[in-house]
Amino acid sequence: VHLVESGGGLVQAGGSLRLSCAASGGIIGINTMGWYRQAPGKQRELVATVSSDGWTNYADSVKGRFTISRDNAKATVYLEMNSLNDEDTAVYFCNADILSFTGRSTWWGQGTQVTVSS
């Protein structure tokens, strides 16, 4: 199983970015998918999750600004980020609870850097 993220980069404060994460490799089914982030010197924290039937959960710090969604046919989860500020600067990691031919496990992507300049 592989999770490949894309869409990070440098953006000015107030701007927007869209992250994508595609899962592949012997997948039978995917349960919850989500995004986490880790800023320098801080612990990794939950940003948002989406269940297989579309229920979403957000960290208070991103509610109203970020939107998580998924395309089950493409095994892909997205994170639309708006009104970005410097506190959103972090490495963003995709996470997925996947049932594959080798069993059920939680998988992580390699991370994508998001930098917000003020």
Side-chain angles (χ1 to χ4, degrees):
V1 175
H2 300 279
L3 298 181
V4 179
E5 299 133 338
S6 61
L10 175 65
V11 63
Q12 288 189 334
S16 299
L17 280 175
R18 188 189 194 213
L19 305 182
S20 300
C21 172
S24 63
I27 295 171
I28 299 173
I30 305 177
N31 297 314
T32 300
M33 303 184 81
W35 290 94
Y36 291 71
R37 67 186 181 186
Q38 187 167 16
K42 295 187 177 181
Q43 291 187 334
R44 191 173 298 189
E45 64 176 4
L46 170 73
V47 176
T49 60
V50 56
S51 68
S52 57
D53 54 2
W55 288 99
T56 58
N57 177 54
Y58 295 93
D60 288 342
S61 59
V62 306
K63 283 181 181 176
R65 300 187 299 121
F66 290 11
T67 302
I68 190 170
S69 61
R70 63 190 284 172
D71 184 331
N72 290 329
K74 295 182 179 179
T76 299
V77 62
Y78 306 96
L79 185 68
E80 184 75 34
M81 305 185 292
N82 298 311
S83 302
L84 286 161
N85 59 60
D86 55 1
E87 293 184 348
D88 297 316
T89 294
V91 178
Y92 283 70
F93 296 90
C94 171
N95 169 280
D97 180 12
I98 295 175
L99 177 63
S100 70
F101 292 113
T102 59
R104 181 176 177 178
S105 294
T106 298
W107 295 86
W108 291 90
Q110 80 284 358
T112 185
Q113 177 70 47
V114 172
T115 303
V116 182
S117 64
S118 56

